[in-house]
mmCIF file of all heavy atoms in Angstrom:
data_model
loop_
_atom_site.group_PDB
_atom_site.id
_atom_site.type_symbol
_atom_site.label_atom_id
_atom_site.label_comp_id
_atom_site.label_asym_id
_atom_site.label_seq_id
_atom_site.Cartn_x
_atom_site.Cartn_y
_atom_site.Cartn_z
ATOM 1 N N VAL A 873 57.753 -29.787 13.667
ATOM 2 C CA VAL A 873 57.724 -28.871 14.866
ATOM 3 C C VAL A 873 58.440 -27.514 14.540
ATOM 4 O O VAL A 873 58.170 -26.569 15.269
ATOM 5 C CB VAL A 873 58.305 -29.548 16.048
ATOM 6 C CG1 VAL A 873 57.552 -30.794 16.444
ATOM 7 C CG2 VAL A 873 59.818 -29.806 15.909
ATOM 8 N N GLN A 874 59.215 -27.437 13.500
ATOM 9 C CA GLN A 874 59.939 -26.188 13.269
ATOM 10 C C GLN A 874 59.030 -25.163 12.574
ATOM 11 O O GLN A 874 58.022 -25.525 11.933
ATOM 12 C CB GLN A 874 61.165 -26.387 12.415
ATOM 13 C CG GLN A 874 60.901 -26.779 10.960
ATOM 14 C CD GLN A 874 62.148 -26.890 10.162
ATOM 15 O OE1 GLN A 874 63.249 -26.758 10.625
ATOM 16 N NE2 GLN A 874 61.963 -27.265 8.909
ATOM 17 N N GLY A 875 59.337 -23.862 12.735
ATOM 18 C CA GLY A 875 58.557 -22.826 12.034
ATOM 19 C C GLY A 875 57.303 -22.411 12.722
ATOM 20 O O GLY A 875 56.516 -21.743 12.106
ATOM 21 N N GLN A 876 57.132 -22.746 14.022
ATOM 22 C CA GLN A 876 55.938 -22.349 14.721
ATOM 23 C C GLN A 876 56.069 -20.875 15.213
ATOM 24 O O GLN A 876 56.924 -20.615 16.071
ATOM 25 C CB GLN A 876 55.670 -23.256 15.925
ATOM 26 C CG GLN A 876 55.445 -24.738 15.494
ATOM 27 C CD GLN A 876 55.162 -25.615 16.665
ATOM 28 O OE1 GLN A 876 54.081 -25.444 17.330
ATOM 29 N NE2 GLN A 876 56.062 -26.547 16.992
ATOM 30 N N VAL A 877 55.246 -19.983 14.657
ATOM 31 C CA VAL A 877 55.396 -18.620 14.911
ATOM 32 C C VAL A 877 55.252 -18.244 16.337
ATOM 33 O O VAL A 877 55.899 -17.362 16.883
ATOM 34 C CB VAL A 877 54.416 -17.802 14.063
ATOM 35 C CG1 VAL A 877 54.448 -16.254 14.325
ATOM 36 C CG2 VAL A 877 54.623 -18.052 12.521
ATOM 37 N N GLY A 878 54.309 -18.942 17.056
ATOM 38 C CA GLY A 878 54.035 -18.638 18.444
ATOM 39 C C GLY A 878 54.958 -19.267 19.455
ATOM 40 O O GLY A 878 54.689 -19.127 20.621
ATOM 41 N N ASP A 879 55.907 -20.048 19.015
ATOM 42 C CA ASP A 879 56.804 -20.729 19.957
ATOM 43 C C ASP A 879 58.228 -20.397 19.601
ATOM 44 O O ASP A 879 58.741 -20.821 18.537
ATOM 45 C CB ASP A 879 56.577 -22.246 19.894
ATOM 46 C CG ASP A 879 57.257 -23.036 20.976
ATOM 47 O OD1 ASP A 879 58.250 -22.556 21.533
ATOM 48 O OD2 ASP A 879 56.795 -24.140 21.344
ATOM 49 N N SER A 880 58.884 -19.610 20.430
ATOM 50 C CA SER A 880 60.251 -19.130 20.105
ATOM 51 C C SER A 880 61.266 -20.272 19.992
ATOM 52 O O SER A 880 62.247 -20.160 19.241
ATOM 53 C CB SER A 880 60.687 -18.111 21.246
ATOM 54 O OG SER A 880 60.718 -18.783 22.530
ATOM 55 N N LYS A 881 60.984 -21.327 20.723
ATOM 56 C CA LYS A 881 61.924 -22.490 20.741
ATOM 57 C C LYS A 881 61.977 -23.170 19.340
ATOM 58 O O LYS A 881 63.002 -23.712 18.988
ATOM 59 C CB LYS A 881 61.543 -23.473 21.804
ATOM 60 C CG LYS A 881 62.585 -24.524 22.082
ATOM 61 C CD LYS A 881 62.181 -25.380 23.327
ATOM 62 C CE LYS A 881 63.302 -26.406 23.670
ATOM 63 N NZ LYS A 881 62.998 -27.133 24.832
ATOM 64 N N TYR A 882 60.891 -23.208 18.717
ATOM 65 C CA TYR A 882 60.753 -23.895 17.406
ATOM 66 C C TYR A 882 60.452 -22.931 16.212
ATOM 67 O O TYR A 882 60.077 -23.418 15.193
ATOM 68 C CB TYR A 882 59.649 -24.962 17.488
ATOM 69 C CG TYR A 882 59.961 -26.010 18.536
ATOM 70 C CD1 TYR A 882 59.278 -26.042 19.752
ATOM 71 C CD2 TYR A 882 60.927 -27.017 18.320
ATOM 72 C CE1 TYR A 882 59.547 -27.021 20.692
ATOM 73 C CE2 TYR A 882 61.152 -27.968 19.256
ATOM 74 C CZ TYR A 882 60.497 -27.937 20.441
ATOM 75 O OH TYR A 882 60.694 -28.941 21.345
ATOM 76 N N ARG A 883 60.688 -21.616 16.457
ATOM 77 C CA ARG A 883 60.451 -20.643 15.381
ATOM 78 C C ARG A 883 61.461 -20.762 14.218
ATOM 79 O O ARG A 883 61.102 -20.635 13.098
ATOM 80 C CB ARG A 883 60.439 -19.240 16.006
ATOM 81 C CG ARG A 883 60.017 -18.163 15.060
ATOM 82 C CD ARG A 883 59.961 -16.793 15.777
ATOM 83 N NE ARG A 883 58.950 -16.871 16.820
ATOM 84 C CZ ARG A 883 58.939 -16.004 17.839
ATOM 85 N NH1 ARG A 883 59.922 -15.106 17.979
ATOM 86 N NH2 ARG A 883 58.017 -16.116 18.824
ATOM 87 N N GLU A 884 62.691 -21.068 14.538
ATOM 88 C CA GLU A 884 63.742 -21.093 13.563
ATOM 89 C C GLU A 884 63.529 -22.252 12.638
ATOM 90 O O GLU A 884 63.205 -23.355 13.037
ATOM 91 C CB GLU A 884 65.109 -21.188 14.233
ATOM 92 C CG GLU A 884 66.252 -21.305 13.224
ATOM 93 C CD GLU A 884 67.576 -21.620 13.962
ATOM 94 O OE1 GLU A 884 67.598 -21.658 15.207
ATOM 95 O OE2 GLU A 884 68.555 -21.741 13.249
ATOM 96 N N ILE A 885 63.787 -22.006 11.294
ATOM 97 C CA ILE A 885 63.722 -23.067 10.305
ATOM 98 C C ILE A 885 65.167 -23.644 10.238
ATOM 99 O O ILE A 885 66.035 -23.048 9.607
ATOM 100 C CB ILE A 885 63.267 -22.596 8.908
ATOM 101 C CG1 ILE A 885 61.889 -21.931 9.035
ATOM 102 C CG2 ILE A 885 63.273 -23.727 7.926
ATOM 103 C CD1 ILE A 885 60.829 -22.858 9.357
ATOM 104 N N ARG A 886 65.374 -24.748 10.896
ATOM 105 C CA ARG A 886 66.770 -25.336 10.970
ATOM 106 C C ARG A 886 67.034 -26.291 9.880
ATOM 107 O O ARG A 886 68.167 -26.551 9.491
ATOM 108 C CB ARG A 886 66.879 -26.022 12.340
ATOM 109 C CG ARG A 886 67.011 -25.090 13.505
ATOM 110 C CD ARG A 886 66.996 -25.874 14.828
ATOM 111 N NE ARG A 886 68.066 -26.877 14.897
ATOM 112 C CZ ARG A 886 69.322 -26.691 15.128
ATOM 113 N NH1 ARG A 886 69.765 -25.461 15.447
ATOM 114 N NH2 ARG A 886 70.185 -27.690 15.186
ATOM 115 N N TYR A 887 65.961 -26.925 9.331
ATOM 116 C CA TYR A 887 66.187 -28.024 8.433
ATOM 117 C C TYR A 887 65.457 -27.655 7.052
ATOM 118 O O TYR A 887 64.329 -27.247 7.047
ATOM 119 C CB TYR A 887 65.695 -29.357 8.897
ATOM 120 C CG TYR A 887 66.178 -29.633 10.346
ATOM 121 C CD1 TYR A 887 65.270 -29.597 11.430
ATOM 122 C CD2 TYR A 887 67.552 -29.894 10.637
ATOM 123 C CE1 TYR A 887 65.700 -29.810 12.729
ATOM 124 C CE2 TYR A 887 67.944 -30.066 11.915
ATOM 125 C CZ TYR A 887 67.031 -30.085 12.943
ATOM 126 O OH TYR A 887 67.467 -30.304 14.220
ATOM 127 N N ARG A 888 66.177 -27.908 5.935
ATOM 128 C CA ARG A 888 65.615 -27.596 4.600
ATOM 129 C C ARG A 888 64.893 -28.776 4.022
ATOM 130 O O ARG A 888 64.196 -28.635 3.074
ATOM 131 C CB ARG A 888 66.738 -27.136 3.720
ATOM 132 C CG ARG A 888 67.426 -25.831 4.081
ATOM 133 C CD ARG A 888 68.274 -25.298 3.001
ATOM 134 N NE ARG A 888 69.372 -26.182 2.663
ATOM 135 C CZ ARG A 888 70.603 -26.195 3.241
ATOM 136 N NH1 ARG A 888 70.845 -25.313 4.226
ATOM 137 N NH2 ARG A 888 71.516 -27.034 2.931
ATOM 138 N N GLY A 889 65.102 -29.972 4.557
ATOM 139 C CA GLY A 889 64.441 -31.097 4.013
ATOM 140 C C GLY A 889 64.871 -32.347 4.839
ATOM 141 O O GLY A 889 65.683 -32.293 5.753
ATOM 142 N N MET A 890 64.428 -33.488 4.332
ATOM 143 C CA MET A 890 64.640 -34.728 5.121
ATOM 144 C C MET A 890 66.147 -35.108 5.213
ATOM 145 O O MET A 890 66.688 -35.326 6.273
ATOM 146 C CB MET A 890 63.960 -35.913 4.513
ATOM 147 C CG MET A 890 64.040 -37.197 5.245
ATOM 148 S SD MET A 890 63.590 -38.628 4.340
ATOM 149 C CE MET A 890 64.816 -38.687 3.077
ATOM 150 N N LEU A 891 66.786 -35.066 4.020
ATOM 151 C CA LEU A 891 68.285 -35.399 4.020
ATOM 152 C C LEU A 891 69.104 -34.416 4.800
ATOM 153 O O LEU A 891 70.022 -34.819 5.498
ATOM 154 C CB LEU A 891 68.765 -35.558 2.551
ATOM 155 C CG LEU A 891 68.254 -36.768 1.736
ATOM 156 C CD1 LEU A 891 68.779 -36.636 0.370
ATOM 157 C CD2 LEU A 891 68.699 -38.039 2.435
ATOM 158 N N HIS A 892 68.824 -33.125 4.631
ATOM 159 C CA HIS A 892 69.449 -32.077 5.376
ATOM 160 C C HIS A 892 69.318 -32.235 6.844
ATOM 161 O O HIS A 892 70.212 -32.134 7.664
ATOM 162 C CB HIS A 892 68.956 -30.699 4.905
ATOM 163 C CG HIS A 892 69.687 -29.568 5.634
ATOM 164 N ND1 HIS A 892 69.033 -28.784 6.577
ATOM 165 C CD2 HIS A 892 70.940 -29.110 5.579
ATOM 166 C CE1 HIS A 892 69.886 -27.932 7.064
ATOM 167 N NE2 HIS A 892 71.058 -28.041 6.475
ATOM 168 N N ALA A 893 68.013 -32.642 7.265
ATOM 169 C CA ALA A 893 67.734 -32.806 8.645
ATOM 170 C C ALA A 893 68.530 -33.973 9.245
ATOM 171 O O ALA A 893 69.167 -33.901 10.318
ATOM 172 C CB ALA A 893 66.244 -33.057 8.899
ATOM 173 N N ILE A 894 68.548 -35.130 8.528
ATOM 174 C CA ILE A 894 69.303 -36.274 9.016
ATOM 175 C C ILE A 894 70.764 -35.980 9.093
ATOM 176 O O ILE A 894 71.424 -36.316 10.117
ATOM 177 C CB ILE A 894 69.043 -37.499 8.067
ATOM 178 C CG1 ILE A 894 67.568 -37.987 8.223
ATOM 179 C CG2 ILE A 894 69.975 -38.619 8.338
ATOM 180 C CD1 ILE A 894 67.218 -39.073 7.193
ATOM 181 N N MET A 895 71.340 -35.289 8.084
ATOM 182 C CA MET A 895 72.747 -35.056 8.094
ATOM 183 C C MET A 895 73.103 -34.099 9.172
ATOM 184 O O MET A 895 74.151 -34.230 9.901
ATOM 185 C CB MET A 895 73.197 -34.450 6.752
ATOM 186 C CG MET A 895 73.083 -35.550 5.636
ATOM 187 S SD MET A 895 73.541 -34.819 4.034
ATOM 188 C CE MET A 895 75.263 -34.409 4.261
ATOM 189 N N ARG A 896 72.280 -33.013 9.424
ATOM 190 C CA ARG A 896 72.595 -32.017 10.418
ATOM 191 C C ARG A 896 72.447 -32.562 11.845
ATOM 192 O O ARG A 896 73.266 -32.267 12.755
ATOM 193 C CB ARG A 896 71.671 -30.774 10.212
ATOM 194 C CG ARG A 896 71.987 -29.670 11.219
ATOM 195 C CD ARG A 896 71.331 -28.365 10.845
ATOM 196 N NE ARG A 896 71.709 -27.313 11.769
ATOM 197 C CZ ARG A 896 71.285 -26.074 11.692
ATOM 198 N NH1 ARG A 896 70.471 -25.713 10.684
ATOM 199 N NH2 ARG A 896 71.667 -25.138 12.565
ATOM 200 N N ILE A 897 71.443 -33.415 11.993
ATOM 201 C CA ILE A 897 71.244 -34.105 13.347
ATOM 202 C C ILE A 897 72.439 -34.931 13.660
ATOM 203 O O ILE A 897 72.996 -34.929 14.799
ATOM 204 C CB ILE A 897 69.928 -34.828 13.370
ATOM 205 C CG1 ILE A 897 68.749 -33.872 13.305
ATOM 206 C CG2 ILE A 897 69.852 -35.655 14.652
ATOM 207 C CD1 ILE A 897 67.381 -34.522 13.028
ATOM 208 N N GLY A 898 72.787 -35.756 12.657
ATOM 209 C CA GLY A 898 73.959 -36.643 12.854
ATOM 210 C C GLY A 898 75.284 -35.861 13.117
ATOM 211 O O GLY A 898 76.076 -36.315 13.915
ATOM 212 N N ARG A 899 75.443 -34.770 12.418
ATOM 213 C CA ARG A 899 76.671 -33.964 12.538
ATOM 214 C C ARG A 899 76.688 -33.228 13.859
ATOM 215 O O ARG A 899 77.753 -33.163 14.557
ATOM 216 C CB ARG A 899 76.846 -33.012 11.388
ATOM 217 C CG ARG A 899 78.159 -32.267 11.363
ATOM 218 C CD ARG A 899 78.342 -31.381 10.154
ATOM 219 N NE ARG A 899 77.263 -30.406 10.002
ATOM 220 C CZ ARG A 899 76.272 -30.384 9.127
ATOM 221 N NH1 ARG A 899 76.119 -31.416 8.291
ATOM 222 N NH2 ARG A 899 75.364 -29.440 9.120
ATOM 223 N N GLU A 900 75.656 -32.584 14.239
ATOM 224 C CA GLU A 900 75.643 -31.688 15.445
ATOM 225 C C GLU A 900 75.281 -32.462 16.797
ATOM 226 O O GLU A 900 75.762 -32.053 17.801
ATOM 227 C CB GLU A 900 74.605 -30.629 15.224
ATOM 228 C CG GLU A 900 74.912 -29.621 14.139
ATOM 229 C CD GLU A 900 73.918 -28.537 13.943
ATOM 230 O OE1 GLU A 900 72.940 -28.550 14.694
ATOM 231 O OE2 GLU A 900 74.120 -27.650 13.100
ATOM 232 N N GLU A 901 74.529 -33.502 16.622
ATOM 233 C CA GLU A 901 74.111 -34.171 17.888
ATOM 234 C C GLU A 901 74.578 -35.589 18.016
ATOM 235 O O GLU A 901 74.394 -36.268 19.078
ATOM 236 C CB GLU A 901 72.531 -34.205 17.947
ATOM 237 C CG GLU A 901 71.914 -32.804 17.866
ATOM 238 C CD GLU A 901 70.386 -32.877 17.725
ATOM 239 O OE1 GLU A 901 69.815 -33.850 18.285
ATOM 240 O OE2 GLU A 901 69.774 -32.012 17.125
ATOM 241 N N GLY A 902 75.254 -36.081 16.904
ATOM 242 C CA GLY A 902 75.801 -37.446 16.971
ATOM 243 C C GLY A 902 74.857 -38.455 16.313
ATOM 244 O O GLY A 902 73.606 -38.207 16.263
ATOM 245 N N LEU A 903 75.308 -39.583 15.942
ATOM 246 C CA LEU A 903 74.481 -40.581 15.202
ATOM 247 C C LEU A 903 73.488 -41.183 16.069
ATOM 248 O O LEU A 903 72.412 -41.549 15.726
ATOM 249 C CB LEU A 903 75.438 -41.675 14.642
ATOM 250 C CG LEU A 903 76.401 -41.282 13.519
ATOM 251 C CD1 LEU A 903 77.232 -42.408 13.083
ATOM 252 C CD2 LEU A 903 75.627 -40.725 12.257
ATOM 253 N N ARG A 904 73.779 -41.234 17.465
ATOM 254 C CA ARG A 904 72.793 -41.793 18.368
ATOM 255 C C ARG A 904 71.548 -40.987 18.458
ATOM 256 O O ARG A 904 70.418 -41.517 18.765
ATOM 257 C CB ARG A 904 73.447 -41.896 19.766
ATOM 258 C CG ARG A 904 74.462 -42.993 19.937
ATOM 259 C CD ARG A 904 74.952 -43.130 21.401
ATOM 260 N NE ARG A 904 73.893 -43.479 22.261
ATOM 261 C CZ ARG A 904 74.054 -43.634 23.565
ATOM 262 N NH1 ARG A 904 75.148 -43.347 24.135
ATOM 263 N NH2 ARG A 904 72.994 -43.952 24.336
ATOM 264 N N ALA A 905 71.684 -39.702 18.139
ATOM 265 C CA ALA A 905 70.506 -38.781 18.200
ATOM 266 C C ALA A 905 69.427 -39.187 17.115
ATOM 267 O O ALA A 905 68.269 -38.868 17.218
ATOM 268 C CB ALA A 905 70.928 -37.314 18.003
ATOM 269 N N LEU A 906 69.979 -39.816 16.059
ATOM 270 C CA LEU A 906 68.998 -40.267 15.016
ATOM 271 C C LEU A 906 68.077 -41.314 15.512
ATOM 272 O O LEU A 906 67.045 -41.596 14.882
ATOM 273 C CB LEU A 906 69.801 -40.728 13.774
ATOM 274 C CG LEU A 906 70.588 -39.755 13.037
ATOM 275 C CD1 LEU A 906 71.450 -40.357 11.922
ATOM 276 C CD2 LEU A 906 69.674 -38.703 12.380
ATOM 277 N N TYR A 907 68.394 -41.944 16.671
ATOM 278 C CA TYR A 907 67.536 -42.881 17.283
ATOM 279 C C TYR A 907 66.988 -42.450 18.619
ATOM 280 O O TYR A 907 66.593 -43.264 19.477
ATOM 281 C CB TYR A 907 68.234 -44.276 17.347
ATOM 282 C CG TYR A 907 68.233 -45.029 16.072
ATOM 283 C CD1 TYR A 907 69.233 -44.790 15.116
ATOM 284 C CD2 TYR A 907 67.226 -45.989 15.801
ATOM 285 C CE1 TYR A 907 69.168 -45.521 13.926
ATOM 286 C CE2 TYR A 907 67.224 -46.671 14.629
ATOM 287 C CZ TYR A 907 68.170 -46.471 13.694
ATOM 288 O OH TYR A 907 68.138 -47.107 12.447
ATOM 289 N N SER A 908 66.886 -41.098 18.788
ATOM 290 C CA SER A 908 66.312 -40.551 19.959
ATOM 291 C C SER A 908 64.822 -40.921 20.012
ATOM 292 O O SER A 908 64.068 -40.646 19.103
ATOM 293 C CB SER A 908 66.379 -39.016 20.030
ATOM 294 O OG SER A 908 67.737 -38.638 20.119
ATOM 295 N N GLY A 909 64.425 -41.612 21.091
ATOM 296 C CA GLY A 909 63.016 -41.969 21.136
ATOM 297 C C GLY A 909 62.739 -43.411 20.595
ATOM 298 O O GLY A 909 61.586 -43.794 20.448
ATOM 299 N N ILE A 910 63.757 -44.182 20.301
ATOM 300 C CA ILE A 910 63.633 -45.528 19.702
ATOM 301 C C ILE A 910 62.953 -46.466 20.719
ATOM 302 O O ILE A 910 62.199 -47.319 20.346
ATOM 303 C CB ILE A 910 64.933 -46.077 19.187
ATOM 304 C CG1 ILE A 910 64.684 -47.457 18.445
ATOM 305 C CG2 ILE A 910 65.915 -46.246 20.276
ATOM 306 C CD1 ILE A 910 63.775 -47.331 17.218
#
């Protein structure tokens, strides 16, 4: 969902890859966020 030019909410490239995404989500949003939508 990131990098969508027409949507300001998701325009920013926040994650460089899978591991970076998992680590950043866990660090910034907490480990429970890794199971958001479970």
Side-chain angles (χ1 to χ4, degrees):
V873 298
Q874 70 177 359
Q876 298 182 68
V877 177
D879 191 335
S880 59
K881 190 171 185 179
Y882 298 103
R883 187 175 297 160
E884 180 188 358
I885 303 295
R886 290 174 51 83
Y887 312 111
R888 296 192 298 270
M890 184 194 68
L891 289 178
H892 180 251
I894 291 175
M895 291 177 65
R896 185 168 181 177
I897 293 167
R899 184 174 63 250
E900 295 181 357
E901 303 174 31
L903 294 178
R904 288 185 61 184
L906 293 173
Y907 278 86
S908 295
I910 186 63

